[in-house]
């Protein structure tokens, strides 16, 4: 069981375990704003709702430049597992400007690519091949990328994740 943690300003911060969320609530560091309809958790002094969404009582300052690391899986996910050249299913990633020509491992230079297009393109640029990119590669954004664990979101989280998108 997982819980969405919101900052005091209601922006999503993280997804934590049910136990961690309950500790935050019991220590008065957070309050429950969405809970399960199941039976409550009984403590020594009182009962607590099973938290689905909690909001922190104090604002936590988050660094504005949350850098999302470049990974193979991230590039494929950003491009919806579709080749940027032919739009077929992608299983590899391609350096738009090849590494042999100084191409970097960056969000702007990596794109999802099918095996056929990747092999045909080889060590060339799309311009040399006469190919056009269907989408322009750029760094991903949104809560799905900055808040880990929201890929498999609980339906009760949607209103809070939609505010931050």
């Amino acid at each position: 069981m997982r819980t969405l943690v919101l900052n005091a300003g209601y922006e999503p911060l993280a997804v934590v375990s049910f136990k961690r969320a309950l500790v935050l609530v019991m220590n008065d560091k957070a309050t429950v704003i969405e809970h399960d309809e199941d039976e409550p958790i009984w403590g020594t002094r009182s009962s607590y709702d099973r938290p689905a969404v909690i909001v922190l009582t104090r604002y936590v300052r988050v660094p504005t430049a949350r850098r999302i690391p470049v990974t193979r899986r991230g590039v494929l996910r950003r491009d919806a597992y579709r080749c940027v050249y032919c739009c077929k299913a992608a299983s590899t990633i391609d350096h738009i400007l090849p590494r042999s020509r100084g191409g970097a491992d960056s969000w702007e230079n990596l794109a999802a690519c099918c095996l056929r297009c990747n092999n045909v393109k080889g060590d060339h640029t799309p311009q040399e091949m006469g190919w056009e990119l269907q989408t322009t590669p750029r760094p991903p954004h949104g809560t799905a990328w900055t808040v880990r664990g929201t890929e498999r979101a609980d339906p009760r989280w949607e209103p809070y994740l939609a505010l931050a998108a």
Side-chain angles (χ1 to χ4, degrees):
M1 188 169 219
R2 301 170 321 136
T3 303
L4 176 66
V5 179
L6 303 175
N7 210 342
Y10 282 77
E11 64 267 11
L13 278 182
V15 176
V16 298
S17 71
F18 151 74
K19 289 180 180 179
R20 175 70 179 133
L22 196 57
V23 168
L24 289 169
V25 171
M26 292 173 87
N27 290 327
D28 294 324
K29 294 185 178 190
T31 55
V32 178
I33 55 175
E34 294 279 339
H35 58 87
D36 280 344
E37 299 299 323
D38 296 342
E39 50 189 84
I41 306 299
W42 291 95
T44 53
R45 296 192 180 129
S46 62
S47 67
Y48 298 92
D49 292 325
R50 290 179 185 264
V53 180
I54 62 173
V55 63
L56 298 176
T57 53
R58 299 177 86 186
Y59 187 82
V60 175
R61 195 173 161 281
V62 180
T64 54
R66 271 192 180 175
R67 297 229 13 123
I68 303 163
V70 180
T71 62
R72 178 182 181 279
R73 186 186 319 184
V75 171
L76 289 168
R77 194 173 127 215
R78 177 201 63 192
D79 295 341
Y81 294 89
R82 293 278 160 221
C83 179
V84 293
Y85 304 115
C86 69
C87 294
K88 292 183 180 171
S91 58
T92 64
I93 57 170
D94 178 54
H95 286 80
I96 297 163
L97 176 64
R99 281 194 291 191
S100 63
R101 300 186 186 191
D105 289 336
S106 66
W107 286 110
E108 295 82 3
N109 192 48
L110 292 172
C113 189
C114 69
L115 193 57
R116 183 184 161 281
C117 288
N118 206 349
N119 286 334
V120 170
K121 180 177 170 283
D123 198 29
H124 302 287
T125 65
Q127 293 80 16
E128 292 170 349
M129 298 295 295
W131 291 359
E132 224 175 275
L133 277 78
Q134 302 298 318
T135 58
T136 305
R138 54 178 57 112
H141 61 281
T143 56
W145 295 93
T146 54
V147 181
R148 286 188 130 162
T150 57
E151 305 86 38
R152 297 176 290 124
D154 186 308
R156 291 169 291 199
W157 300 355
E158 287 179 21
Y160 306 101
L161 295 175
L163 292 174

